[in-house]
Each structure stands twice: as C-alpha cells, then as structure tokens.
Amino acid sequence: MFTEIPSAKWRALVGATLKLASVSPWEWLKEGQTFGVQIQETGEKIYCSVMGQVGGLKALAIYPGKMGWKSYVELGTLETDTDPNEMIMRQRCIMVSFVPANAAEEDDLALLKHIGIALDATQEVPTMRSYRPGYVPQPPDLAEVNMLQIVLEKALGLLGELPGAPFSLPENGLDEDGKMLFNVQTSDPSAIQLEWLLPDSTLDFSPPVATLLPTDLRQNLNLPLKDEIWLLETFYLTHAAESEFGIQFYPQTIAFFDLKDQRFRGVSLLTPDDFPDNVGEVLSALLREQGIRPKQLVVSKSENLILMRPICKSLGIAIYLEKEINILAALREAVEASMDFSDR
C-alpha cells in the first residue's frame, strides 16, 4: 500500500507524526479549537482539529482546502440522528491517528519496518488515512504526503506557541471577527508566522442539482402521469465495491420506493464520479421502464429536494419534503440483503 512513495518521504513524515505524539495536544486542546496552516505557493488553507480529549482516538484531523473546511462545518450542522455511515463517507480529510501496537493494521507496522523506524514499548503506532467522499479510506498519495509534511511542521510550530498565551484558541476556533489562527508558510521553513485569517467561505458549495438531457425529457413527457407517490432516498452502501482501476468505493444508492404498494420501483448504484451527473439518466431510464410518471415524489432530506426539484418541475411531477419519514436505514438494509458481497 505504501511502496509507491520514496522511503525518505515516509521516514520524514512518520518522524513528524511521532513529534506530534510527543507534544500530545489532545491533553490540552479541545476538538472544536481548530487552527490552520496556509500553504505559501497556492494560498490554500488547511484546517486542523485535535481529537482525543475525552479518551477516544488520539488524532489530528486535517481538512484540506475549501472542500475540507466544508466537511468540517457540515459535521457541526448534522442532526444528532444522522447516520454515522453517511458522516464518514462524505468527509474530505486526512486523519493522522495513533493506536496501540496490538491494534495497528499490518500495513502500518510494515511501513515502520520498511523505513527503518522502531518504536519503543510506550509509543503508539501512527496511522495516516485519506478520506474522500464516497471512497474507502486509503493511505495518502504522493501529493498528500507532500502536503502533510508541510502541515505537520507548521502545526507543530503553532502548537509550540499555544501553551504560552496570548495565542490561546477560542472554543470554536474562531475569534469574535470570525477569524482562525493560522501558521502561514514562508520561504523560511523554520519560521513561525501566526496570523488570524478568515476561513474559506462555504457559500459557494450549494447541494448538487440533477439535470435531464433534452431527448430524455421529451421521451418522459410522453409517459402518462399516474396518481402514485414514490419516495426517493439516496444513501451510501456500507459494503465497498471496486472500480475497474482497483479503487474501492462505497456505491451511492438511488432508491425509488412506492409508498402505497410498499415496494421498490427501482434501485441504482452509482460511483462517486457518477453522482450527481447520472441521476437524471437513472430517473429517465426508470420512468421508461415503469411506463409512467408518478404524480408525486417525496424526499426526507433537503439536499434531495434541491437535487430533484428542477427535473420534477420539467416533468410535471410534484415533489415534497417530509423529514419525519424515517425508513432510510430499512431501505439500505433491504438493498444490501438483496446483493451478493461474498467476493468483496
């Protein structure tokens, strides 16, 4: 898993993670006390959250760029009953965590052996995993390793300044002006340049909207409109699939469930790269297969209302948001029960 990246890079990166472990920021920082690193060449902001204050996994969660910040912000706005699978599978972050040797994965232990780093009995094994929406967590790639080297070095510099105020962090990471403390990368690698900067705006990240091809629209408008109500749910499966390139991902399911007859009208599985571009195609194919247009679609999530509303409007299908509908877990269970995952 780790052999495509030069040993010297891994050695330097693992060395930085061990320095982080020795600093033990989880002993005096709360998860909400976020801070950041700004990359000099691109100006990109990287957001960091320390985990492990309440005895859980000791880790530094690193959220790169606008997508990373959006992921972090969404974690704080999710409902308390949100499916934890969805929370994990939507994330864009890189997790640097530490686990006891007897709980470490073989690949992480093999990496330490490969780069010639031996831990003593008191040290926990560092692990690094990259989370991308819809994909199974993987070791960081070369670009991420290069970024992590910068971020860890700058994070350690910033953390070294924190115990001696005035650089104490607000409870939610933002000061009264909505700014976050960053260590800004400069031409001097060892320099510590702390600045309070505004984080990236998340206003540009509207939920996706599905579209229909003109040919599909014309064909579907010729179908009769029938007095039926279908529930539309989208969710990730918990079993991973593998692409033709050997990349593991969690299929994103689009399920249409007939609320009157209590049966599936159609189920389609998409790769992360197919969503939302292929949603319109999925709906169009389903309507042709069923030979009708339902009068109503019902969704339980606001994002699905936004996703489907333009298509429904063009097809003369009413769409409603009914948040009290709570059968998503049952639908996922039914879909997974009907599939064969024995070879995955």
Side-chain angles (χ1 to χ4, degrees):
M1 292 173 65
F2 300 96
T3 54
E4 296 179 358
I5 296 172
S7 297
K9 284 189 175 291
W10 279 124
R11 195 174 299 110
L13 184 55
V14 171
T17 66
L18 295 177
K19 288 181 182 177
L20 177 67
S22 67
V23 172
S24 300
W26 36 82
E27 294 181 358
W28 42 276
L29 269 186
K30 297 179 181 178
E31 189 170 339
Q33 292 178 287
T34 49
F35 58 90
V37 173
Q38 187 173 42
I39 306 298
Q40 180 185 29
E41 292 182 358
T42 62
E44 184 180 40
K45 295 171 182 173
I46 315 295
Y47 305 89
C48 302
S49 174
V50 173
M51 304 170 63
Q53 302 81 5
V54 291
L57 181 69
K58 300 172 185 176
L60 179 66
I62 297 168
Y63 298 88
K66 293 181 179 180
M67 289 298 296
W69 180 236
K70 178 175 180 286
S71 292
Y72 179 80
V73 171
E74 286 183 343
L75 282 177
T77 59
L78 291 174
E79 301 292 336
T80 55
D81 59 351
T82 299
D83 188 336
N85 292 309
E86 295 285 320
M87 293 173 61
I88 294 173
M89 294 171 187
R90 293 182 179 195
Q91 286 295 287
R92 173 59 185 126
C93 75
I94 301 172
M95 191 75 69
V96 178
S97 58
F98 302 87
V99 298
N102 59 5
E105 295 185 15
E106 290 184 5
D107 285 320
D108 296 301
L109 295 173
L111 173 63
L112 293 178
K113 183 177 180 180
H114 173 67
I115 62 178
I117 291 182
L119 304 181
D120 62 42
T122 63
Q123 290 178 291
E124 293 182 310
V125 175
T127 68
M128 289 163 279
R129 295 293 184 272
S130 174
Y131 291 76
R132 295 180 181 272
Y135 288 96
V136 174
Q138 298 289 325
D141 60 25
L142 179 58
E144 290 172 325
V145 166
N146 290 333
M147 182 267 289
L148 283 173
Q149 285 182 285
I150 296 171
V151 171
L152 285 174
E153 178 183 31
K154 293 302 175 185
L156 286 166
L158 183 148
L159 292 170
E161 297 289 320
L162 286 178
F167 295 116
S168 56
L169 295 179
E171 287 291 311
N172 68 350
L174 303 177
D175 68 6
E176 58 186 13
D177 296 321
K179 295 182 178 181
M180 181 182 297
L181 185 62
F182 282 82
N183 192 357
V184 179
Q185 184 189 21
T186 67
S187 56
D188 180 1
S190 62
I192 298 174
Q193 182 171 318
L194 301 181
E195 296 183 23
W196 290 89
L197 304 173
L198 288 172
D200 289 298
S201 171
T202 59
L203 296 179
D204 297 335
F205 289 91
S206 301
V209 174
T211 57
L212 269 182
L213 293 173
T215 52
D216 288 334
L217 176 60
R218 288 193 295 270
Q219 290 176 2
N220 291 156
L221 282 173
N222 289 328
L223 299 173
L225 199 62
K226 191 170 180 181
D227 191 14
E228 294 188 359
I229 303 176
W230 296 356
L231 170 68
L232 164 70
E233 289 283 13
T234 59
F235 50 87
Y236 288 106
L237 297 186
T238 59
H239 294 270
E242 190 170 291
S243 73
E244 59 181 314
F245 304 107
I247 300 174
Q248 289 189 314
F249 65 94
Y250 297 108
Q252 186 157 10
T253 304
I254 304 176
F256 295 88
F257 189 75
D258 191 315
L259 290 176
K260 180 181 178 181
D261 295 341
Q262 294 291 292
R263 65 185 178 91
F264 284 106
R265 284 287 188 161
V267 175
S268 295
L269 305 183
L270 299 180
T271 70
D273 294 335
D274 289 334
F275 188 89
D277 294 342
N278 288 12
V279 171
E281 181 181 334
V282 166
L283 174 61
S284 181
L286 172 63
L287 296 181
R288 291 197 299 270
E289 178 185 323
Q290 297 293 317
I292 62 166
R293 287 175 290 154
K295 278 193 174 181
Q296 296 182 39
L297 274 187
V298 176
V299 296
S300 66
K301 296 184 287 190
S302 299
E303 61 196 62
N304 284 340
L305 179 68
I306 296 171
L307 176 75
M308 300 301 299
R309 187 158 46 193
I311 285 183
C312 287
K313 182 178 180 179
S314 65
L315 290 175
I317 300 172
I319 184 168
Y320 298 97
L321 176 66
E322 299 288 350
K323 289 188 175 182
E324 64 271 17
I325 295 178
N326 188 25
I327 63 171
L328 188 150
L331 293 180
R332 178 190 283 113
E333 183 178 347
V335 171
E336 293 189 336
S338 68
M339 302 182 69
D340 180 14
F341 293 97
S342 59
D343 60 342
R344 296 175 183 167

